[in-house]
């Protein structure tokens, strides 16, 4: 059985006062039946990890460098994130792919390093609106999966997030059939490459405009094991609504 996962991506949002939201989450969810994760900006990772302590809320980074250390001004390694208390890292988010020109190959190197540092990776894939309209969605996703997921992935250290680029921060979501089609496809590709053991134990998240109001219907889609949430993870009250919907999903 895959344990469901509600992951929040704070992106470039949050000063130290934002850590109060973590207290609100851990108070509202003392014994969650799903895994919880918040990925704050790097500046807050250490303080966030210290703030949650042993409570059931993982802290993660939003990116890492593929090298362990060295002359890479401005970058953070996977080992540094782990040292700061992170348990996970988001990689290949479309904002990284677009703003920083990250390729699948680079994302694979980063993910390999993150796994070696003992982190869970949340590897993001997703099509643009043009690609969907040209009926290229599955080809694009298939290519991203093949090239950005490293061979050292296991059912424990790999999470894949399907995030259609056009659904991120827009309030638009695909139809439930479209979400199901992509998630079934991702599951099948993982099983084909890694075997059924890894393929069936890897968690698949949907991301893009997930809110308390649409979470229940999204979580009812087959092969959706949780969500990667941006805007609605910034306020504990909103994220709690999504967590509760995930706990209620069968
Ligand atoms: P959103 O972002 O929930 O604000 O659409 C999702 C994401 O980018 O991970």
């Amino acid at each position: 059985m895959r344990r469901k996962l509600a992951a929040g991506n704070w992106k470039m949002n949050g000063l130290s006062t934002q850590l109060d939201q973590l207290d609100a989450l851990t108070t509202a969810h003392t014994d969650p039946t799903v895994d919880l994760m918040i990925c704050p900006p790097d500046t807050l990772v250490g303080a966030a990890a210290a703030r949650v302590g042993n409570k059931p809320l993982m802290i993660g980074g939003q990116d890492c460098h593929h090298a362990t250390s060295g002359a890479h001004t401005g970058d953070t390694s996977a080992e540094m994130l782990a040292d700061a208390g992170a348990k996970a890292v988001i990689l290949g988010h479309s904002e990284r792919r677009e703003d920083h020109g990250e390729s699948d190959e680079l994302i694979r190197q980063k993910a390999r390093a993150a796994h070696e540092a003992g982190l869970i990776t949340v590897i993001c894939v997703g099509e643009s609106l043009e690609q969907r309209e040209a009926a290229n969605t599955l080809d694009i996703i298939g290519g991203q999966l093949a090239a950005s997921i490293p061979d050292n992935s296991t059912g424990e250290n790999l999470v894949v997030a399907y995030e259609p680029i056009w659904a991120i921060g827009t309030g638009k979501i695909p139809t439930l059939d479209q979400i199901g089609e992509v998630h079934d496809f991702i599951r099948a590709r993982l099983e084909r490459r890694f075997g059924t053991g890894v393929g069936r134990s890897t968690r698949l998240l949907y991301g893009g405009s997930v809110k308390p109001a649409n979470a229940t219907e999204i979580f009812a889609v087959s092969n959706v094991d949780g969500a990667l949430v941006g805007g609605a993870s910034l306020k504990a009250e909103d994220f709690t609504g999504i967590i509760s919907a995930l706990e209620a999903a069968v």
Side-chain angles (χ1 to χ4, degrees):
M1 263 305 281
R2 298 182 293 273
R3 191 166 158 96
K4 293 174 189 290
L5 170 62
N9 172 12
W10 283 1
K11 309 191 180 185
M12 198 172 74
N13 296 290
L15 303 177
S16 47
T17 51
Q18 174 74 9
L19 296 174
D20 293 351
Q21 299 302 312
L22 301 180
D23 299 336
L25 285 175
T26 52
T27 303
H29 305 279
T30 51
D31 191 15
T33 57
V34 301
D35 283 347
L36 307 181
M37 182 191 295
I38 289 286
C39 300
D42 278 3
T43 48
L44 293 180
V45 165
R51 191 86 157 235
V52 301
N54 292 326
K55 298 191 184 104
L57 171 60
M58 286 183 273
I59 299 300
Q62 300 173 12
D63 177 47
C64 68
H65 197 275
H66 63 271
T68 310
S69 62
H72 303 289
T73 303
D75 279 315
T76 304
S77 73
E79 191 179 50
M80 289 167 176
L81 287 175
D83 183 54
K87 301 277 187 260
V89 62
I90 298 168
L91 292 170
H93 191 283
S94 62
E95 289 152 16
R96 298 286 321 168
R97 291 176 185 264
E98 282 176 14
D99 297 354
H100 299 271
E102 293 197 5
S103 65
D104 289 322
E105 163 65 21
L106 178 65
I107 293 157
R108 186 168 79 244
Q109 290 176 23
K110 291 178 175 201
R112 189 188 302 125
H115 291 159
E116 283 168 1
L119 297 178
I120 294 169
T121 57
V122 180
I123 298 182
C124 304
V125 297
E127 82 287 2
S128 67
L129 191 57
E130 297 70 45
Q131 289 163 338
R132 176 159 284 281
E133 285 173 347
N136 284 333
T137 297
L138 297 184
D139 281 349
I140 293 293
I141 305 281
Q144 290 173 334
L145 291 171
S148 57
I149 296 177
D151 287 335
N152 69 355
S153 301
T154 67
E156 287 73 44
N157 69 16
L158 175 67
V159 174
V160 177
Y162 168 53
E163 298 206 311
I165 298 168
W166 51 274
I168 295 174
T170 59
K172 292 185 199 141
I173 63 166
T175 66
L176 301 179
D177 283 348
Q178 288 171 330
I179 294 174
E181 179 188 37
V182 174
H183 279 242
D184 290 351
F185 173 80
I186 295 172
R187 177 80 59 216
R189 281 297 164 99
L190 292 174
E191 286 183 17
R192 193 174 81 180
R193 174 165 164 198
F194 292 103
T196 51
V198 172
R200 288 188 191 159
S201 52
T202 300
R203 290 174 288 186
L204 309 185
L205 309 183
Y206 168 77
S209 296
V210 178
K211 310 286 175 206
N214 61 20
T216 298
E217 59 177 23
I218 293 170
F219 295 150
V221 176
S222 84
N223 279 316
V224 173
D225 304 310
L228 180 57
V229 183
S233 72
L234 291 170
K235 284 199 194 129
E237 196 187 323
D238 293 338
F239 199 43
T240 283
I242 293 169
I243 294 166
S244 300
L246 188 59
E247 288 187 312
V250 282

